[in-house]
Amino acid sequence: MTKLCRDFFVGNTVKIAKELLGCYLVRIWHDDMLVCRITETEAYVGSIDKACHAYGYRKTPRNAVMFGPPGHAYIYLIYGMYHCLNFTTNIEGEPEAVLLRGLKPVYGIERMSQLRYGKTLSELTAYQKKNFLNGPGKCCKALDLDRSFNGEDLTGNTLFICRSLSDLELPEEKVNWTIRCGKRIGIDYAEEAVDFPWRFWTEEYKC
């Protein structure tokens, strides 16, 4: 099994956010393997970014993981109910991370459906299927990720990223997409950082 190594997460966070698109996030859940393709990300750079939890190098118990080594999970709770998964980037001491905003389920979908909705995939409505993993809180719920995974090493054996399904000995997908970029979502308070084009997502198309 070939995973993204620590070096992948070192460097320009905006570039890493874009390069994560199309990679596969893997969650080992008990005896199940849950696999999703990464379809939407956002970059956050503490030194200059007023939308970042660590803007101006402000360190708190909540964001401390961002100041640690790259390639770890930074998970926080919003609105008292939704967990958000981030991947720490750059180098230790530079608080930067990529927020996971969207996924496409690939393997272990039945388990994800139970975790997300408490229903089998066949029981889901068209609306539920359309909105299965199109938001950070939805992604964490479907993968059963919460604050207990804050600081999880992404080069370990529970939560990690692969470049292709063949790395997992699964058949490759037959899908084509193009990459889009734009402003990040839900950061109206962030002054000039509101306009940073640091959100990236994929749009699928047929050949």
Side-chain angles (χ1 to χ4, degrees), residues 114-158:
Q114 289 287 349
L115 290 168
R116 170 86 169 86
Y117 293 110
K119 300 178 181 179
T120 65
L121 191 63
S122 63
E123 293 175 315
L124 301 187
T125 65
Y127 178 84
Q128 288 173 323
K129 290 178 180 178
K130 181 180 179 181
N131 295 281
F132 196 6
L133 298 175
N134 60 346
K138 299 172 185 178
C139 294
C140 281
K141 188 169 184 181
L143 297 177
D144 194 24
L145 296 173
D146 56 24
R147 282 279 295 168
S148 67
F149 287 87
N150 189 45
E152 185 80 17
D153 190 339
L154 297 173
T155 66
N157 297 317
T158 301

Side-chain angles (χ1 to χ4, degrees), residues 45 47 50 68 110 137 143 154 187:
V45 179
S47 60
K50 292 178 181 176
E110 284 290 348
L143 297 177
L154 297 173
I187 58 166

Side-chain angles (χ1 to χ4, degrees), residues 2-207:
T2 305
K3 310 168 188 174
L4 293 185
C5 64
R6 185 89 55 217
D7 288 347
F8 174 87
F9 300 96
V10 178
N12 186 300
T13 296
V14 177
K15 182 180 179 183
I16 293 169
K18 187 175 180 179
E19 290 180 345
L20 279 166
L21 296 177
C23 292
Y24 294 89
L25 179 63
V26 183
R27 162 79 158 105
I28 304 302
W29 192 87
H30 300 286
D31 293 330
D32 291 339
M33 183 172 69
L34 313 179
V35 183
C36 299
R37 175 163 36 90
I38 298 174
T39 59
E40 187 176 356
T41 60
E42 289 181 349
Y44 288 85
V45 179
S47 60
I48 61 170
D49 183 4
K50 292 178 181 176
C52 182
H53 291 170
Y55 171 62
Y57 296 95
R58 184 175 65 93
K59 188 175 183 180
T60 67
R62 181 197 195 199
N63 69 18
V65 171
M66 292 186 72
F67 290 83
H72 287 73
Y74 167 43
I75 299 182
Y76 58 85
L77 190 68
I78 59 172
Y79 310 128
M81 57 191 304
Y82 301 118
H83 290 94
C84 298
L85 170 62
N86 301 256
F87 312 120
T88 60
T89 52
N90 204 334
I91 60 174
E92 189 167 356
E94 288 294 332
E96 303 183 15
V98 174
L99 170 66
L100 178 70
R101 281 205 59 89
L103 294 169
K104 178 74 175 289
V106 174
Y107 187 83
I109 303 175
E110 284 290 348
R111 176 62 63 189
M112 284 185 268
S113 179
Q114 289 287 349
L115 290 168
R116 170 86 169 86
Y117 293 110
K119 300 178 181 179
T120 65
L121 191 63
S122 63
E123 293 175 315
L124 301 187
T125 65
Y127 178 84
Q128 288 173 323
K129 290 178 180 178
K130 181 180 179 181
N131 295 281
F132 196 6
L133 298 175
N134 60 346
K138 299 172 185 178
C139 294
C140 281
K141 188 169 184 181
L143 297 177
D144 194 24
L145 296 173
D146 56 24
R147 282 279 295 168
S148 67
F149 287 87
N150 189 45
E152 185 80 17
D153 190 339
L154 297 173
T155 66
N157 297 317
T158 301
L159 186 67
F160 53 89
I161 302 170
C162 295
R163 288 192 181 275
S164 70
L165 291 177
S166 62
D167 292 334
L168 301 166
E169 299 183 355
L170 295 174
E172 292 289 359
E173 294 183 289
K174 295 181 180 180
V175 61
N176 299 284
W177 67 80
T178 188
I179 295 176
R180 305 294 188 190
C181 72
K183 299 178 183 180
R184 294 169 295 178
I185 295 172
I187 58 166
D188 295 343
Y189 57 87
E191 299 181 5
E192 72 278 0
V194 168
D195 295 320
F196 293 175
W198 289 356
R199 173 177 165 245
F200 303 93
W201 68 95
T202 58
E203 288 186 1
E204 295 185 16
Y205 64 89
K206 295 181 181 180
C207 291

